[in-house]
Amino acid sequence: MDIVRVPIKSYIHVMDLTTNVTELVEGPRNYALQSNEVVVKQITPFIQLTNNTYITIKNPVVKTKDNHVELESFGLVKVNWGETEIRTYNDYKDPFPLYPGEEAVDGIKKIVNLLANEQVRMKALRDIVDENGVKHKAGSLWSIRGPANLLPRVECEVVKNEILKATIISNNSAIQIKATKDTVDYKGIERKAGDQWLVRESGAYFPTVYEEIVQVKTPKTLTDKVALHLKAEKNFTDFYGNKRKAGEEWLVTNEMSELHIIDAYETLVNEVKITVLTSRQYCVIQNPFVNGQIQYGKRVLKRGETSFFIKPGEILEYNKVNNVLVFDENDALLLEAIEPYNDGKTDYVPGNKWVLRGPREFCLPLELTILKQIKAIPLDENEGIYIRNLTNGEVKMITGQTYLLEPNEELYEKELNPVVEQIINQQKSGTNY
C-alpha cells in the first residue's frame, strides 16, 4: 500500500478504478492508496488570490445555496461543463483547490484599474445587466470609463483588450469624429453611419462605442493679408451658419474669424494672398462676384488705392497688376472703342478711333483698346516729314515744328530719283560733287 503525503494547502486527485469516480484529497494528510486507486493529479498547491486579482475557472463545480459542492448520484462532483466562472479575491480570500473536472485558465491575473482619463469598450457575450442596472443584449457594445476597477465577468469581454485614453482637446483645436453606426452624439444630435463632425469644446473627450476619431485638427491663422480658399465635399452648414452645397467654393477671411479650423466636410484648396493696388495701379478681374453671385464672362476694372482677395472662380486677367500710363505733352495714345463708351464729353461706338494727348494719367477702360503709343516728332526749321492722310490719300509736308500724328495719318516715305538720293547721301557724308 502506497502512502501519498499531501502538504498543507495542497491537494491531489485520486480515481477509484472500480467505480471510475475521481475525488479531491486535501492536505495536510497522509493518504494511503488502495489497490484500486490511482493518483490522476499529482500534488498541486492551492490557488491563492491576492487583493485585486482574479482567476478564470473552466467547468466550475455546482454549489448549493449554503455553498456546499453538489454530487452526482454516483458520487462524482457535479460540474457545469463548458461554462466558465470568474473567482476574485473578494469572494475567495482563502486558498482553494480545484475539484476534478475544473481547469484554471491563463493563471492569476490582476484586475484592471481604469484611470480618470481611460475607458474600455465592452461587448456582451450573452444578455447581461451591468453594474448600473442597464440591460445589454448579446453582441451589444457599451463603454466603461474610469476611475473604476474593471471587474471581469463571463457574460462580457473587453473589445480587443484595449484601454482607450481620452483625447485632450486644447484651446482653439478640435477633433474630427466619424460615426461607425447610427448613433447619438454627446450633444444629443442623431448621426447616421458615415457622418463626420468636429468636437471643438476643450477638455478630455471619450468617443462612444460607435464613434472613431479621424484626426486632431489645429487652426489656420487668418490675417488681413491671407485668406483660406475652401471647397465643400458635400451639402452641410458651416461653422458660421452658412449652408454650403457640394462642390461650392468660398473664402474665409479674418473679417469672419482670426482662426479657422477646417471642418469635416471642408477641403482647403489653397491659401490666398491679398492683392494690393497703389494709386498708380489697376487690374482687370474676369468672372467677378456681383451681389454674392459670380458673373461668368464679365470683366471688372479695379483701380487703387485698394486691396482685395481674388475670390474662387475669379481670374486676375493676364495674372498681373498694371501700372497707370503717365505721358507728357509730347506723347499720345491711339485708342479704339471695342464697346460703346463715353468719356464724359463724347459718345463713341465700336470701331471709332481717336488720339488721346498728354500730359495726363491714363487707366485703360474696359471698353477701349490701345492701338499704339504715339510720340511727337520734333522738327528743326531745316527738317521736314511727309504725312499721308489715310482717308483721302493726300500727302503733305510738315517742317520746322513738333508734330503729332492724327488717328487717320501715317508717315509717308517719298520715293526720290536715284540721282537726287546720291546727292543727298554725298551731302550727309561731306563729299563734294
Side-chain angles (χ1 to χ4, degrees), residues 333-416:
L333 297 175
L334 179 57
L335 303 177
E336 181 180 9
I338 55 177
E339 295 180 21
Y341 175 71
N342 181 277
D343 63 1
K345 297 179 180 179
T346 308
D347 290 323
Y348 298 94
V349 297
N352 284 166
K353 299 177 183 179
W354 69 99
V355 171
L356 184 68
R357 302 172 184 271
R360 63 171 42 201
E361 292 181 355
F362 181 69
C363 177
L364 182 65
L366 299 177
E367 299 86 353
L368 307 181
T369 184
I370 298 175
L371 296 179
K372 64 179 179 179
Q373 293 189 12
I374 304 173
K375 278 281 191 182
I377 303 173
L379 299 173
D380 191 79
E381 59 182 9
N382 296 321
E383 294 179 322
I385 55 174
Y386 290 102
I387 303 297
R388 183 170 66 179
N389 188 306
L390 298 176
T391 304
N392 54 27
E394 179 184 348
V395 177
K396 62 181 178 179
M397 185 176 68
I398 305 296
T399 60
Q401 67 181 60
T402 299
Y403 189 78
L404 199 62
L405 292 175
E406 296 293 335
N408 61 339
E409 292 180 341
E410 68 175 3
L411 290 173
Y412 177 73
E413 185 176 348
K414 186 174 181 179
E415 293 185 5
L416 299 178

Coordinates of all heavy atoms in Angstrom, one line a residue, residues 333-416:
L333 N -1.9 108.5 -77.2 CA -2.3 107.2 -77.4 C -3.3 107.1 -78.6 O -4.2 108.0 -78.6 CB -2.9 106.6 -76.2 CG -2.0 106.4 -74.9 CD1 -2.9 106.0 -73.7 CD2 -0.9 105.5 -75.2
L334 N -3.2 106.1 -79.4 CA -4.2 105.9 -80.5 C -5.1 104.9 -79.9 O -4.8 103.7 -79.7 CB -3.5 105.4 -81.8 CG -4.5 105.1 -82.9 CD1 -5.4 106.4 -83.2 CD2 -3.8 104.7 -84.1
L335 N -6.4 105.3 -79.6 CA -7.4 104.4 -79.0 C -8.4 104.0 -80.0 O -8.7 104.7 -81.0 CB -8.0 105.2 -77.8 CG -7.1 105.7 -76.7 CD1 -7.9 106.4 -75.7 CD2 -6.3 104.5 -76.1
E336 N -9.0 102.8 -79.7 CA -10.2 102.4 -80.5 C -11.2 101.8 -79.5 O -10.9 101.1 -78.6 CB -9.8 101.3 -81.5 CG -10.9 100.8 -82.3 CD -10.5 99.7 -83.3 OE1 -9.4 99.2 -83.2 OE2 -11.3 99.3 -84.1
A337 N -12.5 102.2 -79.8 CA -13.6 101.7 -78.9 C -14.0 100.3 -79.4 O -14.2 100.0 -80.6 CB -14.8 102.6 -79.0
I338 N -14.0 99.3 -78.4 CA -14.5 98.0 -78.8 C -15.9 97.7 -78.2 O -16.5 96.7 -78.5 CB -13.5 96.9 -78.2 CG1 -13.3 97.1 -76.7 CG2 -12.2 97.0 -79.0 CD1 -12.4 96.1 -76.1
E339 N -16.3 98.7 -77.4 CA -17.7 98.7 -76.8 C -18.1 100.1 -76.8 O -17.3 101.0 -76.8 CB -17.8 98.0 -75.4 CG -17.4 96.6 -75.4 CD -17.5 96.0 -74.0 OE1 -18.2 96.7 -73.1 OE2 -16.8 95.0 -73.7
P340 N -19.4 100.4 -76.7 CA -19.9 101.8 -76.6 C -19.2 102.4 -75.4 O -19.1 101.8 -74.3 CB -21.4 101.6 -76.4 CG -21.8 100.4 -77.1 CD -20.6 99.4 -76.8
Y341 N -18.8 103.7 -75.5 CA -18.0 104.4 -74.5 C -18.3 105.8 -74.5 O -18.4 106.5 -75.6 CB -16.5 104.1 -74.7 CG -15.6 104.8 -73.8 CD1 -15.6 104.5 -72.4 CD2 -14.8 105.9 -74.2 CE1 -14.7 105.1 -71.5 CE2 -14.0 106.6 -73.3 CZ -13.9 106.2 -72.0 OH -13.1 106.8 -71.1
N342 N -18.3 106.4 -73.3 CA -18.5 107.9 -73.2 C -17.4 108.4 -72.2 O -17.2 107.9 -71.1 CB -19.9 108.2 -72.6 CG -20.0 109.7 -72.5 OD1 -19.6 110.3 -71.5 ND2 -20.7 110.3 -73.5
D343 N -16.6 109.3 -72.7 CA -15.5 109.9 -71.9 C -15.9 111.1 -71.1 O -15.1 111.8 -70.5 CB -14.3 110.2 -72.8 CG -14.6 111.3 -73.8 OD1 -15.8 111.8 -73.8 OD2 -13.7 111.6 -74.6
G344 N -17.2 111.3 -71.0 CA -17.7 112.5 -70.3 C -18.1 113.6 -71.2 O -18.8 114.6 -70.9
K345 N -17.6 113.6 -72.5 CA -17.8 114.6 -73.4 C -18.4 114.1 -74.7 O -19.3 114.6 -75.3 CB -16.5 115.4 -73.8 CG -16.0 116.1 -72.6 CD -14.7 116.8 -73.0 CE -14.0 117.6 -71.8 NZ -12.8 118.3 -72.2
T346 N -17.8 112.9 -75.1 CA -18.2 112.4 -76.5 C -18.6 110.9 -76.3 O -18.1 110.2 -75.5 CB -17.0 112.4 -77.4 OG1 -16.5 113.8 -77.4 CG2 -17.4 112.0 -78.8
D347 N -19.6 110.5 -77.1 CA -20.0 109.1 -77.2 C -19.3 108.5 -78.3 O -19.2 109.0 -79.4 CB -21.5 109.0 -77.4 CG -22.3 109.5 -76.2 OD1 -21.9 109.1 -75.1 OD2 -23.4 110.1 -76.4
Y348 N -18.7 107.3 -78.0 CA -18.0 106.5 -79.1 C -18.7 105.2 -79.3 O -19.2 104.6 -78.3 CB -16.6 106.3 -78.7 CG -15.7 107.6 -78.5 CD1 -15.6 108.2 -77.2 CD2 -15.1 108.1 -79.6 CE1 -14.9 109.3 -77.1 CE2 -14.4 109.3 -79.4 CZ -14.3 109.9 -78.2 OH -13.5 111.0 -78.1
V349 N -18.7 104.8 -80.5 CA -19.3 103.4 -80.8 C -18.1 102.5 -81.2 O -17.0 103.0 -81.6 CB -20.3 103.5 -81.9 CG1 -21.5 104.4 -81.5 CG2 -19.7 104.1 -83.2
P350 N -18.3 101.2 -81.1 CA -17.3 100.3 -81.5 C -16.7 100.6 -82.9 O -17.5 100.8 -83.8 CB -17.9 98.9 -81.5 CG -19.0 99.1 -80.5 CD -19.5 100.5 -80.6
G351 N -15.4 100.7 -83.0 CA -14.7 101.0 -84.3 C -14.2 102.4 -84.3 O -13.3 102.7 -85.1
N352 N -14.7 103.3 -83.5 CA -14.2 104.7 -83.5 C -12.8 104.7 -83.0 O -12.4 104.0 -82.1 CB -15.1 105.5 -82.6 CG -16.4 105.9 -83.2 OD1 -17.3 106.4 -82.5 ND2 -16.6 105.8 -84.5
K353 N -12.0 105.6 -83.7 CA -10.6 105.7 -83.3 C -10.3 107.2 -83.0 O -10.9 108.1 -83.7 CB -9.6 105.2 -84.4 CG -9.8 103.8 -84.7 CD -8.8 103.4 -85.8 CE -9.0 101.9 -86.2 NZ -8.2 101.5 -87.3
W354 N -9.5 107.5 -82.0 CA -9.1 108.9 -81.7 C -7.8 108.9 -81.0 O -7.3 107.8 -80.5 CB -10.2 109.6 -81.0 CG -10.4 109.1 -79.6 CD1 -9.9 109.7 -78.4 CD2 -11.2 108.0 -79.2 NE1 -10.3 109.1 -77.3 CE2 -11.1 108.0 -77.7 CE3 -11.9 107.0 -79.8 CZ2 -11.8 107.0 -77.0 CZ3 -12.5 106.1 -79.1 CH2 -12.5 106.1 -77.7
V355 N -7.2 110.1 -81.0 CA -5.9 110.2 -80.3 C -6.1 110.9 -79.0 O -6.8 112.0 -78.9 CB -4.9 111.1 -81.1 CG1 -3.7 111.4 -80.3 CG2 -4.5 110.3 -82.4
L356 N -5.6 110.4 -77.9 CA -5.7 111.0 -76.6 C -4.3 111.5 -76.3 O -3.3 110.8 -76.2 CB -6.0 109.9 -75.5 CG -6.2 110.4 -74.1 CD1 -7.5 111.3 -74.0 CD2 -6.4 109.2 -73.1
R357 N -4.3 112.9 -76.1 CA -3.0 113.6 -75.9 C -2.7 113.8 -74.5 O -3.5 113.9 -73.6 CB -3.0 114.9 -76.7 CG -3.3 114.7 -78.2 CD -3.5 116.1 -78.8 NE -3.9 116.0 -80.2 CZ -3.1 115.9 -81.2 NH1 -1.8 116.0 -81.0 NH2 -3.5 115.7 -82.5
G358 N -1.3 113.9 -74.2 CA -0.9 114.3 -72.9 C -0.8 115.8 -72.7 O -1.2 116.5 -73.6
P359 N -0.4 116.2 -71.5 CA 0.0 115.4 -70.4 C -1.2 114.9 -69.6 O -2.1 115.6 -69.4 CB 0.9 116.4 -69.6 CG 0.2 117.7 -69.9 CD -0.3 117.7 -71.3
R360 N -1.1 113.7 -69.1 CA -2.1 113.1 -68.2 C -1.7 111.7 -67.7 O -0.7 111.1 -68.2 CB -3.4 112.9 -69.0 CG -3.3 112.0 -70.2 CD -4.6 111.7 -70.9 NE -5.4 112.9 -70.9 CZ -6.7 113.0 -71.1 NH1 -7.4 112.0 -71.2 NH2 -7.4 114.2 -71.1
E361 N -2.6 111.2 -66.8 CA -2.5 109.8 -66.4 C -3.6 109.1 -67.1 O -4.7 109.7 -67.3 CB -2.7 109.6 -64.9 CG -1.5 110.2 -64.1 CD -1.8 110.0 -62.6 OE1 -2.9 109.5 -62.2 OE2 -0.9 110.3 -61.8
F362 N -3.4 107.8 -67.4 CA -4.5 107.1 -68.2 C -4.6 105.7 -67.7 O -3.6 104.9 -67.7 CB -4.2 107.1 -69.7 CG -5.2 106.4 -70.5 CD1 -6.5 107.0 -70.6 CD2 -4.9 105.2 -71.1 CE1 -7.5 106.4 -71.4 CE2 -5.9 104.6 -71.9 CZ -7.2 105.2 -72.0
C363 N -5.8 105.3 -67.3 CA -6.1 104.0 -66.9 C -7.1 103.4 -68.0 O -8.2 104.0 -68.1 CB -6.8 103.9 -65.5 SG -7.3 102.3 -65.0
L364 N -6.6 102.4 -68.7 CA -7.4 101.9 -69.8 C -8.7 101.3 -69.4 O -8.8 100.3 -68.7 CB -6.6 100.8 -70.5 CG -7.2 100.3 -71.8 CD1 -7.3 101.3 -72.9 CD2 -6.4 99.1 -72.3
P365 N -9.8 102.0 -69.9 CA -11.2 101.4 -69.6 C -11.4 100.1 -70.3 O -10.7 99.8 -71.3 CB -12.1 102.5 -70.1 CG -11.3 103.7 -70.3 CD -9.9 103.2 -70.6
L366 N -12.4 99.3 -69.8 CA -12.6 98.0 -70.4 C -13.2 98.1 -71.8 O -13.0 97.2 -72.6 CB -13.6 97.2 -69.6 CG -13.2 96.9 -68.1 CD1 -14.3 96.2 -67.4 CD2 -12.0 96.1 -68.1
E367 N -13.8 99.3 -72.2 CA -14.4 99.5 -73.5 C -13.4 99.8 -74.6 O -13.8 99.9 -75.7 CB -15.5 100.5 -73.4 CG -16.6 100.2 -72.4 CD -16.3 100.7 -71.0 OE1 -15.1 101.1 -70.7 OE2 -17.2 100.6 -70.1
L368 N -12.2 100.1 -74.2 CA -11.2 100.6 -75.2 C -10.0 99.6 -75.3 O -9.7 98.8 -74.4 CB -10.7 102.0 -74.8 CG -11.7 103.1 -74.5 CD1 -11.1 104.4 -74.1 CD2 -12.7 103.2 -75.7
T369 N -9.3 99.8 -76.4 CA -8.0 99.1 -76.6 C -7.0 100.2 -77.1 O -7.4 101.1 -77.8 CB -8.2 97.9 -77.5 OG1 -6.9 97.3 -77.6 CG2 -8.6 98.4 -78.9
I370 N -5.8 100.0 -76.8 CA -4.7 100.9 -77.3 C -4.1 100.3 -78.6 O -3.6 99.2 -78.5 CB -3.6 101.0 -76.2 CG1 -4.2 101.7 -75.0 CG2 -2.5 101.9 -76.8 CD1 -3.2 101.8 -73.8
L371 N -4.3 101.0 -79.7 CA -3.7 100.5 -80.9 C -2.2 100.8 -80.9 O -1.4 99.9 -81.4 CB -4.4 101.2 -82.1 CG -5.9 101.0 -82.3 CD1 -6.4 101.7 -83.5 CD2 -6.1 99.5 -82.5
K372 N -1.8 101.9 -80.5 CA -0.3 102.2 -80.4 C -0.1 103.4 -79.6 O -1.0 104.3 -79.4 CB 0.3 102.3 -81.8 CG -0.2 103.5 -82.6 CD 0.5 103.5 -83.9 CE 0.0 104.7 -84.8 NZ 0.7 104.7 -86.1
Q373 N 1.1 103.6 -79.1 CA 1.5 104.8 -78.5 C 2.2 105.7 -79.5 O 3.0 105.2 -80.3 CB 2.5 104.5 -77.3 CG 1.8 103.7 -76.1 CD 2.7 103.6 -74.9 OE1 3.8 104.3 -74.9 NE2 2.3 102.8 -74.0
I374 N 1.9 107.0 -79.4 CA 2.5 107.9 -80.4 C 3.4 108.9 -79.7 O 3.1 109.4 -78.7 CB 1.3 108.7 -81.1 CG1 0.3 107.7 -81.8 CG2 1.9 109.6 -82.2 CD1 -0.9 108.3 -82.3
K375 N 4.5 109.1 -80.4 CA 5.5 110.1 -79.9 C 5.5 111.3 -80.8 O 5.5 111.2 -82.1 CB 6.9 109.5 -79.9 CG 7.2 108.7 -78.6 CD 7.5 109.6 -77.5 CE 8.1 108.8 -76.3 NZ 8.3 109.7 -75.1
A376 N 5.4 112.5 -80.3 CA 5.5 113.7 -81.1 C 6.9 113.7 -81.8 O 7.9 113.3 -81.3 CB 5.3 114.9 -80.3
I377 N 6.9 114.2 -83.1 CA 8.1 114.3 -83.8 C 8.6 115.7 -83.9 O 7.9 116.6 -84.5 CB 7.8 113.8 -85.3 CG1 7.3 112.4 -85.2 CG2 9.1 113.8 -86.1 CD1 6.8 111.9 -86.6
P378 N 9.7 116.1 -83.2 CA 10.2 117.4 -83.2 C 11.0 117.7 -84.5 O 11.9 116.9 -84.9 CB 11.1 117.5 -82.0 CG 11.5 116.1 -81.8 CD 10.4 115.2 -82.3
L379 N 10.7 118.8 -85.2 CA 11.4 119.1 -86.5 C 12.1 120.5 -86.4 O 11.5 121.4 -85.9 CB 10.4 119.1 -87.6 CG 9.6 117.8 -87.9 CD1 8.5 118.0 -88.9 CD2 10.6 116.7 -88.3
D380 N 13.3 120.5 -86.8 CA 14.1 121.8 -86.9 C 13.5 122.6 -88.1 O 12.8 122.0 -89.0 CB 15.6 121.5 -87.0 CG 16.4 122.8 -86.8 OD1 16.6 123.1 -85.7 OD2 16.8 123.3 -87.9
E381 N 13.9 123.8 -88.2 CA 13.4 124.6 -89.3 C 13.9 124.1 -90.7 O 13.4 124.4 -91.7 CB 13.8 126.1 -89.1 CG 15.4 126.3 -89.0 CD 15.7 127.7 -88.8 OE1 14.8 128.5 -88.5 OE2 16.9 128.0 -88.9
N382 N 15.0 123.3 -90.6 CA 15.6 122.7 -91.8 C 15.2 121.3 -92.0 O 15.8 120.6 -92.8 CB 17.1 122.9 -91.9 CG 17.5 124.3 -91.9 OD1 16.9 125.2 -92.6 ND2 18.6 124.7 -91.2
E383 N 14.3 120.8 -91.2 CA 13.8 119.4 -91.2 C 12.4 119.3 -91.6 O 11.6 120.2 -91.3 CB 14.1 118.7 -89.9 CG 15.6 118.5 -89.6 CD 15.8 117.8 -88.2 OE1 14.9 118.1 -87.3 OE2 16.7 117.1 -88.1
G384 N 12.0 118.2 -92.2 CA 10.6 118.0 -92.5 C 10.2 116.6 -92.7 O 11.1 115.7 -92.8
I385 N 9.0 116.3 -92.7 CA 8.4 114.9 -92.9 C 7.3 115.0 -93.8 O 6.6 116.0 -94.0 CB 8.0 114.3 -91.5 CG1 7.0 115.1 -90.8 CG2 9.2 114.0 -90.6 CD1 6.4 114.5 -89.6
Y386 N 7.0 113.8 -94.4 CA 5.8 113.7 -95.3 C 4.8 112.9 -94.5 O 5.0 111.9 -93.9 CB 6.2 113.0 -96.6 CG 7.0 113.8 -97.5 CD1 8.4 113.5 -97.7 CD2 6.5 114.8 -98.3 CE1 9.2 114.3 -98.5 CE2 7.3 115.6 -99.2 CZ 8.6 115.3 -99.3 OH 9.4 116.0 -100.1
I387 N 3.5 113.4 -94.6 CA 2.4 112.8 -93.9 C 1.4 112.5 -94.9 O 1.0 113.3 -95.8 CB 1.8 113.8 -92.8 CG1 2.8 114.2 -91.8 CG2 0.6 113.1 -92.1 CD1 3.4 113.0 -91.0
R388 N 0.8 111.2 -94.8 CA -0.2 110.8 -95.7 C -1.5 110.7 -94.9 O -1.6 110.0 -93.9 CB 0.1 109.5 -96.5 CG -1.0 109.1 -97.5 CD -0.6 108.0 -98.4 NE -0.4 106.8 -97.6 CZ -0.1 105.6 -98.2 NH1 0.2 105.6 -99.5 NH2 0.1 104.5 -97.4
N389 N -2.6 111.3 -95.5 CA -3.9 111.1 -94.9 C -4.5 109.8 -95.4 O -4.7 109.6 -96.6 CB -4.8 112.3 -95.4 CG -6.1 112.3 -94.6 OD1 -6.9 111.3 -94.6 ND2 -6.5 113.4 -94.0
L390 N -4.8 108.9 -94.5 CA -5.3 107.6 -94.8 C -6.8 107.6 -95.3 O -7.2 106.7 -96.0 CB -5.3 106.6 -93.6 CG -3.8 106.4 -93.1 CD1 -3.9 105.5 -91.8 CD2 -3.0 105.7 -94.1
T391 N -7.4 108.7 -95.1 CA -8.8 108.8 -95.5 C -8.9 109.2 -97.0 O -9.6 108.6 -97.8 CB -9.6 109.9 -94.7 OG1 -9.5 109.5 -93.3 CG2 -11.1 109.9 -95.1
N392 N -8.2 110.3 -97.4 CA -8.3 110.7 -98.8 C -7.0 110.5 -99.6 O -6.9 110.8 -100.8 CB -8.7 112.2 -98.9 CG -7.7 113.1 -98.0 OD1 -6.6 112.7 -97.8 ND2 -8.2 114.2 -97.5
G393 N -5.9 110.0 -98.9 CA -4.7 109.7 -99.6 C -3.8 110.9 -99.9 O -2.7 110.8 -100.4
E394 N -4.2 112.1 -99.4 CA -3.4 113.3 -99.6 C -2.1 113.2 -98.8 O -2.1 112.8 -97.7 CB -4.2 114.5 -99.1 CG -3.5 115.8 -99.3 CD -4.3 117.0 -98.7 OE1 -5.5 116.8 -98.4 OE2 -3.7 118.1 -98.5
V395 N -1.0 113.7 -99.4 CA 0.3 113.7 -98.8 C 0.7 115.2 -98.6 O 0.5 116.0 -99.5 CB 1.3 113.0 -99.7 CG1 2.7 113.2 -99.0 CG2 1.0 111.6 -99.9
K396 N 1.1 115.5 -97.4 CA 1.6 116.8 -97.1 C 2.9 116.8 -96.4 O 3.3 115.8 -95.8 CB 0.5 117.6 -96.3 CG 0.3 117.0 -94.9 CD -0.8 117.7 -94.1 CE -1.0 117.1 -92.8 NZ -2.0 117.9 -92.0
M397 N 3.6 117.9 -96.4 CA 4.9 118.0 -95.8 C 4.8 118.9 -94.6 O 4.2 120.0 -94.7 CB 5.9 118.6 -96.8 CG 7.4 118.6 -96.2 SD 8.6 119.1 -97.5 CE 8.1 120.8 -97.7
I398 N 5.4 118.5 -93.5 CA 5.5 119.3 -92.3 C 6.9 119.6 -92.0 O 7.8 118.8 -92.0 CB 4.9 118.5 -91.1 CG1 3.4 118.0 -91.4 CG2 4.9 119.3 -89.8 CD1 2.4 119.1 -91.6
T399 N 7.2 120.9 -91.7 CA 8.6 121.3 -91.4 C 8.6 122.3 -90.2 O 7.6 123.0 -90.0 CB 9.2 122.0 -92.6 OG1 8.5 123.2 -93.0 CG2 9.3 121.1 -93.8
G400 N 9.7 122.3 -89.5 CA 10.0 123.3 -88.5 C 9.1 123.4 -87.4 O 8.8 124.5 -86.8
Q401 N 8.5 122.3 -86.9 CA 7.6 122.2 -85.8 C 7.6 120.8 -85.1 O 8.1 119.9 -85.7 CB 6.2 122.7 -86.2 CG 5.5 121.7 -87.1 CD 4.1 122.1 -87.5 OE1 4.0 123.1 -88.1 NE2 3.1 121.3 -87.1
T402 N 7.0 120.7 -84.0 CA 6.8 119.4 -83.3 C 5.4 118.9 -83.8 O 4.4 119.6 -83.5 CB 6.9 119.5 -81.8 OG1 8.2 120.0 -81.4 CG2 6.6 118.2 -81.2
Y403 N 5.4 117.8 -84.4 CA 4.1 117.3 -84.9 C 3.7 115.9 -84.3 O 4.5 115.0 -84.2 CB 4.2 117.2 -86.5 CG 2.9 116.9 -87.1 CD1 2.0 118.0 -87.4 CD2 2.6 115.6 -87.5 CE1 0.8 117.7 -88.0 CE2 1.3 115.4 -88.2 CZ 0.5 116.4 -88.4 OH -0.7 116.2 -89.0
L404 N 2.4 115.8 -84.1 CA 1.8 114.6 -83.5 C 0.8 114.1 -84.5 O -0.1 114.8 -85.0 CB 1.1 114.9 -82.2 CG 0.8 113.7 -81.3 CD1 2.1 113.1 -80.8 CD2 0.0 114.2 -80.1
L405 N 1.0 112.8 -85.0 CA 0.1 112.3 -86.0 C -1.3 112.2 -85.5 O -1.6 111.9 -84.3 CB 0.6 110.8 -86.3 CG 2.0 110.8 -87.1 CD1 2.4 109.3 -87.2 CD2 1.9 111.4 -88.4
E406 N -2.3 112.4 -86.4 CA -3.7 112.3 -86.2 C -4.0 110.8 -86.3 O -3.3 110.0 -86.9 CB -4.5 113.1 -87.1 CG -4.3 114.6 -86.9 CD -4.8 115.1 -85.6 OE1 -5.7 114.5 -85.0 OE2 -4.3 116.1 -85.1
P407 N -5.3 110.4 -85.9 CA -5.6 109.0 -86.0 C -5.6 108.4 -87.4 O -5.4 107.2 -87.7 CB -7.0 108.9 -85.4 CG -7.1 110.1 -84.5 CD -6.3 111.2 -85.2
N408 N -5.9 109.3 -88.4 CA -6.0 108.9 -89.8 C -4.8 109.2 -90.6 O -4.8 109.3 -91.8 CB -7.2 109.5 -90.5 CG -7.2 111.0 -90.5 OD1 -6.5 111.6 -89.7 ND2 -8.0 111.6 -91.4
E409 N -3.6 109.4 -89.9 CA -2.4 109.8 -90.6 C -1.3 108.8 -90.3 O -1.3 108.1 -89.3 CB -1.9 111.2 -90.1 CG -2.9 112.3 -90.6 CD -2.4 113.7 -90.1 OE1 -1.5 113.7 -89.1 OE2 -2.8 114.7 -90.7
E410 N -0.4 108.8 -91.3 CA 0.8 108.0 -91.1 C 2.0 108.7 -91.8 O 1.8 109.5 -92.7 CB 0.6 106.6 -91.7 CG 0.5 106.5 -93.2 CD 0.4 105.1 -93.7 OE1 0.4 104.2 -92.9 OE2 0.4 105.0 -95.0
L411 N 3.2 108.3 -91.4 CA 4.4 108.8 -92.0 C 4.5 108.3 -93.4 O 4.2 107.1 -93.7 CB 5.6 108.5 -91.2 CG 5.8 109.2 -89.9 CD1 7.0 108.6 -89.2 CD2 6.0 110.7 -90.1
Y412 N 4.8 109.2 -94.3 CA 4.9 108.7 -95.8 C 6.4 108.8 -96.2 O 7.1 109.8 -96.0 CB 4.0 109.7 -96.6 CG 4.1 109.4 -98.1 CD1 3.5 108.2 -98.6 CD2 4.8 110.2 -98.9 CE1 3.5 108.0 -100.0 CE2 4.9 109.9 -100.3 CZ 4.2 108.8 -100.8 OH 4.3 108.5 -102.2
E413 N 6.8 107.7 -96.8 CA 8.2 107.7 -97.3 C 8.1 108.0 -98.8 O 7.6 107.2 -99.6 CB 8.8 106.3 -97.1 CG 10.3 106.2 -97.5 CD 10.9 104.9 -97.2 OE1 10.2 104.1 -96.4 OE2 12.0 104.6 -97.7
K414 N 8.7 109.2 -99.2 CA 8.6 109.6 -100.6 C 9.8 109.0 -101.4 O 10.9 109.0 -100.9 CB 8.7 111.1 -100.6 CG 8.5 111.7 -102.1 CD 8.5 113.2 -102.0 CE 8.3 113.7 -103.5 NZ 8.2 115.2 -103.5
E415 N 9.4 108.5 -102.5 CA 10.5 107.9 -103.4 C 11.2 109.0 -104.1 O 10.6 109.8 -104.8 CB 9.8 106.9 -104.4 CG 9.2 105.7 -103.7 CD 8.7 104.7 -104.7 OE1 9.0 104.9 -105.9 OE2 8.2 103.6 -104.3
L416 N 12.6 109.0 -104.1 CA 13.4 110.0 -104.8 C 14.0 109.4 -106.0 O 14.3 108.2 -106.1 CB 14.4 110.5 -103.8 CG 13.9 111.2 -102.5 CD1 15.1 111.6 -101.7 CD2 13.0 112.4 -102.9

